Amino acid sequence: AEAIEAAEKEHFDVGVFDMRMPRVDGIDAMRAIHAANPKDRLPVIALTADVMAERRKRYEDPALAAFLTKPVDWDVLEDAIQSHARSMQHAKRA
C-alpha cells in the first residue's frame, strides 16, 4: 500500500516488490501503479520465497520485469535493477 502511495507522488526507475505482503501483495500493488499511470509503466522486480509451482503461478504476470526467489542473491538482484533502470534511461532518451 505504501508503494502505491509513493508512486503517486514521485517517479521511480524500478520497483522491487515482495509478492506476499499482508495488506497488498506485489502483483496487486504493481497493477494499481500501472493502472494509475499507464504511460509510464514502472518496471517491477518480484521477490518471493514461495517456490511451489502451483502457488507461484498466482504471482506470474507478463508485466513483471523480473521474477526472483528468496533467499535473495544480491548480485542477481543488482543485475536486474541495473538492467531495468538502464532500459528506462534509454527509453527516456528515445
Side-chain angles (χ1 to χ4, degrees):
E2 291 174 16
I4 297 168
E5 290 176 24
E8 291 173 355
K9 297 174 185 170
E10 61 184 289
H11 173 83
F12 295 93
D13 289 331
V14 66
V16 179
F17 293 175
D18 193 314
M19 292 294 100
R20 295 195 64 175
M21 297 297 290
R23 293 187 348 208
V24 179
D25 68 26
I27 289 292
D28 291 339
M30 178 193 68
R31 289 177 180 157
I33 290 168
H34 287 176
N37 197 353
K39 292 181 182 178
D40 184 20
R41 291 179 60 97
L42 176 70
V44 172
I45 298 169
L47 291 177
T48 186
D50 196 347
V51 295
M52 300 296 292
E54 59 274 2
R55 290 193 304 229
R56 185 174 165 169
K57 286 181 184 178
R58 190 267 187 256
Y59 307 118
E60 293 175 350
D61 190 291
L64 287 172
F67 195 96
L68 307 177
T69 57
K70 296 178 188 175
V72 175
D73 180 324
W74 295 105
D75 292 330
V76 172
L77 178 58
E78 182 180 3
D79 289 346
I81 291 170
Q82 288 181 0
S83 172
H84 294 290
R86 262 188 254 126
S87 68
M88 290 298 295
Q89 290 170 359
H90 292 301
K92 289 177 188 175
R93 288 185 216 143

